[in-house]
C-alpha cells in the first residue's frame, strides 16, 4: 500500500474521497483481516456458536423484514427491484454474508453430507436475491472439497448449472448480455485496460470515481458514488499497478501462504473477478478466518494416536511440541 499512497500524493489527478480510501486500506481493512486471523485461530478447537438452523432462521427474518418494510432496519433501494436485500444495504451483501458463514461451517465439518445444507441454503439465497456469483463460488467449493469421483462431480455441477440457468434464465437474455458487454462491464474492462497501459504504476486512491464521473463516455455502474471497477485485480492495478495486483494475489488468492490456503481462498478469488470485494470489510474478516483455518489444518488433520501407531512414541512428543 506504500506504492498506492505514493501515487495518491505525488500524482496531480482529480480525486474523490481519496482520504477515506487511504484510511480504509491502511488501517480498516488490515484491522479486519488481523481480527479474522485471531478469530479463526481461537475458534479452531471450539464449536462454532451457530449452524445452518440459525442461518435458515436468519434468512426467514430477512424475508419478513422486507415484506413488512420494518422501519429503521429496512431501507428501500432504487435498484435490484424484486431481489431480496433485507436489512443489508444491497443484495450482494446479503448473499455474501450467507455464503461466507456457510463456507466456514463447511470447512469445519467432514463428509459428503455437509454439502446438502450448504447448497440448500445458498441455493435459496440465490433464488431470493437473484445474485449470480455466489453459486459459482459454491460450485468451486464442491469441486475442490468433495471426495466423490470426478465423473460424479462434473455430473453434479452440470445438474446444478442447469438449475442455475433455469432459475436465472431471464438474466442471460441476448439483450441483457449485449448491455453488459457494450454499456457496463465490457466497456469498463476496455477502459480499465487503457488506463493501465497509459500508466502501469497506477493512479492512487480516489482516482476511479473521479475519472469515470467526468468521462465523456458514460459507463453504467461507474461514476459518482462508485469508487472501484467490477474486478478486484483490475481496480488494484489502476490504483497501484503491479503492486496492487500483488496485493490481490496475497490477500485474496493466498499466494505465499501454502497450497492449502490457495485452495481454500480460490472460490473467493474467482468471485473477485466479478465483484469489487476488496471494498468490503466483511471479506477481509472472513479471509483472515479462512487463512487461520487452512494454515492450522495442516497440523491438526492427523490425530496423535495415528502418529503413535505409525511411528512410535518418540514421534508423539515431537508432534505435541509442534
Amino acid at each position: 500500500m506504500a506504492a498506492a499512497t505514493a501515487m495518491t500524493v505525488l500524482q496531480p489527478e482529480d480525486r474523490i474521497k481519496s482520504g477515506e480510501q487511504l484510511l480504509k486500506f491502511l488501517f480498516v481493512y488490515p484491522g479486519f483481516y488481523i481480527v479474522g486471523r485471531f478469530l479463526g485461530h481461537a475458534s479452531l478447537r471450539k464449536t462454532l456458536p451457530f449452524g445452518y438452523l440459525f442461518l435458515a432462521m436468519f434468512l426467514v427474518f430477512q424475508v419478513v423484514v422486507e415484506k413488512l418494510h420494518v422501519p429503521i432496519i429496512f431501507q428501500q433501494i432504487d435498484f435490484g427491484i424484486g431481489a431480496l436485500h433485507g436489512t443489508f444495504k444491497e443484495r450482494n451483501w446479503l448473499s455474501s454474508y450467507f455464503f461466507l458463514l456457510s463456507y466456514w461451517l463447511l470447512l469445519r465439518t467432514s463428509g459428503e453430507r455437509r454439502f446438502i445444507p450448504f447448497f440448500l441454503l445458498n441455493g435459496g439465497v440465490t433464488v431470493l436475491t437473484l445474485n449470480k456469483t455466489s453459486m459459482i463460488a459454491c460450485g468451486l467449493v464442491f469441486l475442490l472439497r468433495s471426495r466423490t469421483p470426478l465423473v460424479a462431480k462434473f455430473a453434479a455441477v452440470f445438474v446444478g448449472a442447469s438449475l442455475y440457468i433455469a432459475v436465472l434464465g431471464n438474466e442471460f437474455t441476448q439483450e441483457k448480455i449485449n448491455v453488459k458487454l457494450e454499456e457496463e462491464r465490457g466497456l469498463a474492462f476496455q477502459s480499465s485496460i487503457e488506463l493501465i497501459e497509459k500508466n502501469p504504476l497506477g493512479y492512487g486512491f480516489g482516482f476511479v470515481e473521479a475519472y469515470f464521473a467526468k468521462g465523456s463516455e458514460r459507463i453504467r455502474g461507474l461514476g459518482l458514488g462508485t469508487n472501484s471497477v467490477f474486478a478486484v485485480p483490475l481496480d488494484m492495478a489502476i490504483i497501484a499497478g503491479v503492486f496492487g495486483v500483488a496485493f490481490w494475489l496475497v490477500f485474496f488468492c493466498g499466494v505465499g501462504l501454502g497450497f492449502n490456503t490457495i485452495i481454500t481462498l480460490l472460490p473467493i478469488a474467482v468471485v473477485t473477478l466479478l465483484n469489487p470485494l476488496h471494498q468490503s470489510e466483511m471479506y477481509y474478516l472472513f479471509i483472515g478466518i479462512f487463512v487461520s483455518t487452512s494454515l492450522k489444518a495442516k497440523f491438526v488433520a492427523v490425530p496423535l494416536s495415528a502418529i503413535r501407531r505409525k511411528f512410535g512414541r518418540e514421534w508423539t512428543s515431537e508432534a505435541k511440541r509442534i
Side-chain angles (χ1 to χ4, degrees), residues 21 72 128 137 208 245 280 284:
Q21 291 274 292
I72 301 176
L128 292 170
V208 169
V245 176
S280 170
Y284 288 94

Side-chain angles (χ1 to χ4, degrees), residues 92 95-104 106-107 115 118-119 122-123 126 131-146 157 164 262-275 277 283 290:
N92 290 343
S95 181
S96 295
Y97 174 85
F98 283 97
F99 167 71
L100 292 169
L101 283 176
S102 60
Y103 188 30
W104 193 8
L106 185 135
L107 290 174
F115 291 102
F118 178 73
F119 276 108
N122 286 285
T126 298
N131 181 276
K132 299 182 287 294
T133 55
S134 289
M135 286 307 292
I136 296 174
C138 291
L140 283 171
V141 169
F142 176 71
L143 288 174
L144 294 170
R145 294 287 172 179
S146 175
V157 169
Y164 178 85
I262 292 174
I263 293 298
T264 301
L265 296 184
L266 184 59
I268 295 175
V270 170
V271 176
T272 63
L273 301 176
L274 305 171
N275 287 324
L277 306 182
Y283 269 93
F290 297 153

Side-chain angles (χ1 to χ4, degrees), residues 157-167:
V157 169
F158 177 78
V159 172
S162 300
L163 293 173
Y164 178 85
I165 294 173
V167 173

Side-chain angles (χ1 to χ4, degrees), residues 15 102 120 126 140 187 194 202 247 275 277 292 297:
R15 305 182 187 280
S102 60
L120 285 176
T126 298
L140 283 171
L187 189 55
E194 290 174 357
F247 175 90
N275 287 324
L277 306 182
S292 289

Side-chain angles (χ1 to χ4, degrees), residues 36-54:
R37 288 294 303 269
F38 173 78
L39 287 176
H41 180 77
S43 65
L44 281 171
R45 300 188 182 277
K46 298 179 181 178
T47 303
L48 295 179
F50 65 92
Y52 286 106
L53 179 59
F54 163 77

Side-chain angles (χ1 to χ4, degrees), residues 52-165:
Y52 286 106
L53 179 59
F54 163 77
L55 293 179
M57 292 173 62
F58 191 57
L59 180 59
V60 172
F61 172 74
Q62 298 299 318
V63 175
V64 172
V65 166
E66 182 152 331
K67 291 295 183 183
L68 298 180
H69 286 66
V70 178
I72 301 176
I73 61 174
F74 173 79
Q75 295 182 1
Q76 188 66 51
I77 57 177
D78 57 0
F79 59 92
I81 305 299
L84 177 72
H85 70 275
T87 59
F88 293 79
K89 187 176 181 180
E90 58 176 89
R91 62 180 182 175
N92 290 343
W93 291 18
L94 186 150
S95 181
S96 295
Y97 174 85
F98 283 97
F99 167 71
L100 292 169
L101 283 176
S102 60
Y103 188 30
W104 193 8
L105 284 172
L106 185 135
L107 290 174
R108 293 292 302 274
T109 54
S110 59
E112 296 304 304
R113 291 185 178 181
R114 59 181 173 162
F115 291 102
I116 297 175
F118 178 73
F119 276 108
L120 285 176
L121 176 70
N122 286 285
V125 172
T126 298
V127 171
L128 292 170
T129 62
L130 302 179
N131 181 276
K132 299 182 287 294
T133 55
S134 289
M135 286 307 292
I136 296 174
C138 291
L140 283 171
V141 169
F142 176 71
L143 288 174
L144 294 170
R145 294 287 172 179
S146 175
R147 295 186 177 181
T148 56
L150 191 61
V151 175
K153 280 185 180 182
F154 282 105
V157 169
F158 177 78
V159 172
S162 300
L163 293 173
Y164 178 85
I165 294 173

Side-chain angles (χ1 to χ4, degrees), residues 187-230:
L187 189 55
F189 177 80
Q190 180 181 344
S191 299
S192 299
I193 294 299
E194 290 174 357
L195 285 171
I196 294 169
E197 289 177 346
K198 289 179 182 178
N199 184 1
L201 295 178
Y203 298 85
F205 295 112
F207 171 79
V208 169
E209 184 173 352
Y211 177 82
F212 288 105
K214 68 178 183 180
S216 58
E217 193 172 27
R218 299 296 298 173
I219 300 175
R220 287 192 183 187
L222 294 179
L224 288 176
T226 304
N227 54 21
S228 61
V229 296
F230 68 92

